[in-house]
């Protein structure tokens, strides 16, 4: 019997929000970094704003990094220096939204690095193409009734048709600027004016799902396959939003048959697009968002169910890297 060879040590660059400000007990990027070190990979922290081009070469301002699961002393960095990203085997692109012009420009630099042989997770073209609100609409069989428009009259008509709706911008995260409105709500006009900035920006309206009281479920996909447990983020008090950043309580649950069906509808296409780590938001029986930029909940699910989701992720990353030679 042939013995399975240990994977080769990889140089892994991490593009993330400032490492000194993260909450390691909840930070999925930190879980990935811990797993990379556990597997013997070399970590390189990209300093904020540190991606750039030198002619045709994708470059980054990098510092060698070490991480520890210690809330008093969780990281150390070596001296920063500019290096070609082609010297890296893998880049983890993990900065939080908004997906603004600066974010998109960084994905263009990462596309250059990808063309120079680097495995970028998630694929930068997919990060540009899959808006987290609109991406769900690629799978209409999974979604509640939805309308996206700059026209306040169109959005008002949608609310009137469905009685109650959730209204949100296309570039928010963490529950920010999400409104629940009913037909005839005296605040509806000002909500729509605020979200669209007087018709200049698109806003999304979805039929209100009363199942939100049971939680907004975060389902994680690793290379198209679902983790068998989700984190239901349950609204607290008189709050209708389940987002943890908005005060929701996280409760782990096994996936339901419907959850698995949604994952099976979505997973193969996202895998084809190079979306190696994805978070699906599901309320009741409906997919509401596809999170591709920096999905979270690894730490919570690992703790509740004894999982190693980052380990699954690195199995997929190492397999993809090996396939590239």
């Amino acid at each position: 019997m042939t013995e399975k060879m240990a994977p080769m040590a990889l140089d892994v660059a991490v593009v993330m929000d400032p490492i000194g400000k993260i909450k390691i007990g909840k930070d999925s990027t930190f879980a990935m970094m811990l797993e990379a070190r556990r597997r013997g990979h070399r970590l390189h922290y990209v300093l904020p704003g540190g991606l750039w081009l030198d002619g045709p070469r994708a470059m980054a301002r990098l510092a060698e990094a070490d991480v520890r699961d210690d809330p008093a002393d969780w990281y150390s960095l070596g001296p920063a220096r500019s290096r070609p990203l082609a010297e890296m085997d893998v880049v983890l692109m993990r900065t939080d939204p908004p997906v603004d012009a600066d974010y998109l420009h960084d994905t263009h630099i990462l596309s250059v690095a990808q063309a120079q042989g680097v495995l970028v997770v998630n694929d930068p073209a997919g990060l540009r193409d899959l808006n987290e609100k609109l991406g769900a609409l690629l799978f209409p069989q999974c979604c509640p009734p939805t309308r996206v428009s700059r026209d306040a009259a169109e959005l008002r008509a949608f609310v009137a048709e469905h009685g109650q709706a959730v209204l949100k911008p296309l570039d928010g995260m963490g529950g920010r600027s999400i409104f629940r409105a009913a037909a005839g709500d005296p605040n509806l006009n000002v909500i729509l004016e605020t979200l669209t900035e007087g018709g200049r920006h698109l806003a999304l309206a979805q039929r209100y799902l009363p199942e939100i009281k049971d939680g907004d479920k975060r389902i994680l996909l690793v290379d198209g396959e679902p983790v068998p447990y989700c984190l239901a983020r349950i609204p607290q008090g008189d709050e209708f939003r389940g987002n943890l950043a908005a005060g929701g309580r996280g409760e782990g649950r096994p996936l339901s048959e419907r959850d698995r069906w949604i994952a099976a509808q979505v997973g193969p296409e996202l895998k084809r697009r190079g979306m190696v780590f994805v978070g699906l938001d599901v309320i009741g029986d409906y997919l509401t968002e596809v999170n591709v930029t920096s999905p979270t909940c690894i730490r919570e699910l690992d703790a509740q169910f004894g999982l190693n989701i980052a380990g699954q992720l690195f199995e997929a990353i190492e397999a993809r890297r090996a396939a590239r030679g």
Side-chain angles (χ1 to χ4, degrees), residues 216-232:
D216 181 354
K217 294 176 284 188
R218 168 59 55 83
I219 300 170
L220 296 178
L221 302 182
V222 177
D223 218 18
E225 295 296 324
V227 172
Y229 300 91
C230 64
L231 192 74

Side-chain angles (χ1 to χ4, degrees), residues 9 15 19 38 54 70 77 81 159 163 198 200 209 218 230 247 264 287 325:
V15 185
I19 192 169
R38 191 186 71 79
D54 181 17
D70 178 353
L77 300 177
R81 61 191 182 98
V159 178
R200 288 190 292 275
L209 300 170
R218 168 59 55 83
C230 64
L287 175 69

